[in-house]
Amino acid sequence: MLDKDQLRKHVNSDLYAGGLIDHSGGHMHPLNLALGEAAAFEQNGGTIYEKSPVIDVDHAAARPVVRTARGSMTCKTLVLCGNAYLGHVVPTLTSRVMPVSTQVMATEPLGEARAHDLLPTDTCVEDIRYILDYYRLSGDKRLLFGGGTVYGGADPSDIKAKLQRNMDKVFPQLKGVRIDHARSGNFALSFSRVPQMGRIGDNTYFAHGYSGHGVTGSHTFGRILSEAIDGDLTRFDVFAKVPWYPFPGGRMFRVPYSMIGSWWYGLRDKLGV
Ligand SMILES: Cc1cc2nc3c(=O)[nH]c(=O)nc-3n(C[C@H](O)[C@H](O)[C@H](O)COP(=O)(O)OP(=O)(O)OC[C@H]3O[C@@H](n4cnc5c(N)ncnc54)[C@H](O)[C@@H]3O)c2cc1C
């Protein structure tokens, strides 16, 4: 636990009363991770079919079939990990998770000295509010600043304006800095925030619902799924048995219900309750 002064050595902001530092955490370049994994997969004989969205899945068959607009594939084993982007392609999975968008932006390169002044130990930060801010420096010393959520997965009309207000509160010294990039992406929220894995049909597995923390979680789950497909179900069974709950309100009302809940918890954060 860090008090206000100790925290200042890591995060040069007056906003916080204190913090908690987790030395087992870290940050990395997610695009390079994805590119590296794709290259490793191909080197091991895998084939990636890009721009071919799956539109239908027969997961009940002993040899599951996936269909795209231009062809289909019969699989020995199928793993569904479309997460928030799978939509309603597999109706059995639809009620398990809800797409939620979150936004992130990158400032112009700040230069070594200015970047170091903001985050002297190059740490990555998230706050503990319900609708949180999260940020860190990139390799080329931009501040990557994220936060904000839209239940249902829609993109806000002005991402920069939405995030800049939050960034200015944390780092008023960055007022007027240029924002070079901003984007919105979806993560899959489960009702309990606990990720899920399981099997639908004999040879169709799924894993999803990391609720915004999937970079490490999806890798752990990937390993557990590979063990299961290889015949060792020990760790898979533990996770597959974890109970899950559908979002209240079903497909029609889960978004407005969640918005009301989020508004309520956001209000509590503002009031400091
Ligand atoms: C802005 C933002 C910031 C985030 N920050 C963090 C963070 O700091 N730390 C962290 O741990 N997590 C973070 N997350 C969450 C993290 O990105 C996810 O939890 C993680 O990517 C989940 O991995 P996944 O492989 O399950 O799903 P995804 O990475 O979403 O991959 C799913 C893939 O399935 C494909 N797909 C979906 N449907 C179909 C279909 N019908 N046919 C073919 N392909 C399909 C998609 O194209 C996609 O490539 C963040 C997310 C966002 C959007």
Side-chain angles (χ1 to χ4, degrees), residues 26-28 30 37 49 51-57 67-68 80-90 100-105 124-126 134-136 145-148 183-188 207-219:
H27 46 127
M28 33 67 80
E37 287 179 335
Y49 296 96
K51 298 189 172 48
S52 53
V54 171
I55 51 176
D56 182 48
V57 176
R67 286 189 193 87
T68 71
L80 296 165
C81 45
N83 210 36
Y85 293 100
L86 194 58
H88 304 301
V89 173
V90 185
V100 178
S101 75
T102 176
Q103 294 75 45
V104 66
M105 65 180 187
C124 47
V125 185
E126 63 175 359
Y134 53 90
Y135 49 91
R136 67 180 178 106
F145 193 95
R183 68 172 279 265
S184 183
N186 288 354
F187 65 85
H208 62 197
Y210 308 96
S211 304
H213 293 91
V215 173
T216 47
S218 58
H219 287 81

Side-chain angles (χ1 to χ4, degrees), residues 67-84:
R67 286 189 193 87
T68 71
R70 295 176 56 193
S72 66
M73 188 182 284
T74 304
C75 319
K76 199 170 144 200
T77 306
L78 174 64
V79 180
L80 296 165
C81 45
N83 210 36

Side-chain angles (χ1 to χ4, degrees), residues 36-64:
E37 287 179 335
F41 180 69
E42 287 182 332
Q43 272 160 28
N44 281 294
T47 305
I48 300 170
Y49 296 96
E50 294 182 66
K51 298 189 172 48
S52 53
V54 171
I55 51 176
D56 182 48
V57 176
D58 178 3
H59 51 82
R63 287 175 73 82

Side-chain angles (χ1 to χ4, degrees), residues 116-246:
H116 183 264
D117 179 64
L118 295 179
L119 294 167
T121 53
D122 195 18
T123 196
C124 47
V125 185
E126 63 175 359
D127 69 37
I128 56 163
R129 292 173 308 148
Y130 196 75
I131 306 289
L132 73 168
D133 296 331
Y134 53 90
Y135 49 91
R136 67 180 178 106
L137 295 169
S138 63
D140 59 353
K141 306 298 173 199
R142 300 168 190 272
L143 185 71
L144 305 180
F145 193 95
T149 47
V150 182
Y151 293 94
D155 293 350
S157 55
D158 190 344
I159 300 172
K160 288 184 192 177
K162 183 176 173 184
L163 292 177
Q164 203 146 14
R165 276 195 301 272
N166 302 347
M167 188 177 81
D168 288 349
K169 277 189 204 149
V170 181
F171 293 124
Q173 59 270 50
L174 283 185
K175 263 201 181 116
V177 78
R178 199 179 69 232
I179 305 300
D180 280 351
H181 308 284
R183 68 172 279 265
S184 183
N186 288 354
F187 65 85
L189 185 74
S190 71
F191 187 58
S192 63
R193 274 37 174 191
V194 177
Q196 304 165 6
M197 74 165 75
R199 196 157 41 171
I200 46 171
D202 288 342
N203 291 309
T204 302
Y205 296 80
F206 69 90
H208 62 197
Y210 308 96
S211 304
H213 293 91
V215 173
T216 47
S218 58
H219 287 81
T220 308
F221 268 28
R223 176 157 295 203
I224 296 172
L225 283 174
S226 71
E227 290 166 5
I229 293 164
D230 244 8
D232 177 1
L233 293 165
T234 321
R235 297 207 293 168
F236 172 84
D237 281 344
V238 173
F239 280 98
K241 277 186 201 143
V242 174
W244 66 277
Y245 309 94

